[in-house]
Amino acid sequence: QVQLVESGGGLVQAGGSLRLSCTASRGTFSSYSMGWFRQVPGKEREFVVCVSWSGGSTRYADSVKGRFTISRDNAKNTVYLQMNSLKPEDTAVYYCAAGLRGLVAAPSLYEYWGQGTQVTVSS
């Protein structure tokens, strides 16, 4: 069973940047596709981006294309989300997830989840 722990969230002004990290323990990290999702109170969890097990393929939500970049370091069991040009509407709790179904956007298709990290973008 994979355990995921996110870090790097915080408060940033609009236009600023943050880098989130998600480190895995247990399991075989390099076997899993990794995704980032976000959620605001009262709304469903929203797909942000995912990366294949090798890091060679990615899939982005239209809302973050050109601003966010996902990467992974399998030697460190860590996936990163570099977020640039942040907007107030990016404010949410960000979750990382691990799955075995490739580059999928549906949260239900991911097997393991972290506890989330808060990102707040002030205007």
Side-chain angles (χ1 to χ4, degrees):
Q1 184 170 352
V2 178
Q3 294 185 337
L4 303 172
V5 178
E6 301 98 335
S7 61
L11 174 64
V12 64
Q13 288 187 333
S17 298
L18 280 175
R19 188 175 83 154
L20 306 183
S21 301
C22 172
T23 300
S25 60
R26 302 185 178 177
T28 306
F29 177 75
S30 59
S31 298
Y32 293 87
S33 297
M34 297 298 297
W36 285 98
F37 294 77
R38 63 189 182 187
Q39 190 170 24
V40 297
K43 291 191 175 182
E44 294 186 351
R45 196 162 293 188
E46 174 191 20
F47 169 74
V48 176
V49 60
C50 58
V51 61
S52 63
W53 65 271
S54 67
S57 298
T58 57
R59 177 179 177 181
Y60 289 85
D62 288 343
S63 59
V64 305
K65 280 182 181 176
R67 300 188 298 122
F68 290 11
T69 303
I70 191 171
S71 61
R72 67 188 296 164
D73 185 340
N74 286 343
K76 295 183 178 180
N77 287 352
T78 300
V79 61
Y80 304 98
L81 181 62
Q82 178 66 44
M83 304 185 294
N84 299 329
S85 302
L86 282 162
K87 305 175 181 180
E89 51 263 43
D90 295 317
T91 295
V93 177
Y94 283 71
Y95 298 89
C96 69
L100 294 171
R101 292 170 174 82
L103 299 178
V104 294
S108 61
L109 298 180
Y110 286 81
E111 281 82 11
Y112 303 106
W113 292 84
Q115 82 290 348
T117 185
Q118 177 70 46
V119 171
T120 302
V121 184
S122 62
S123 58

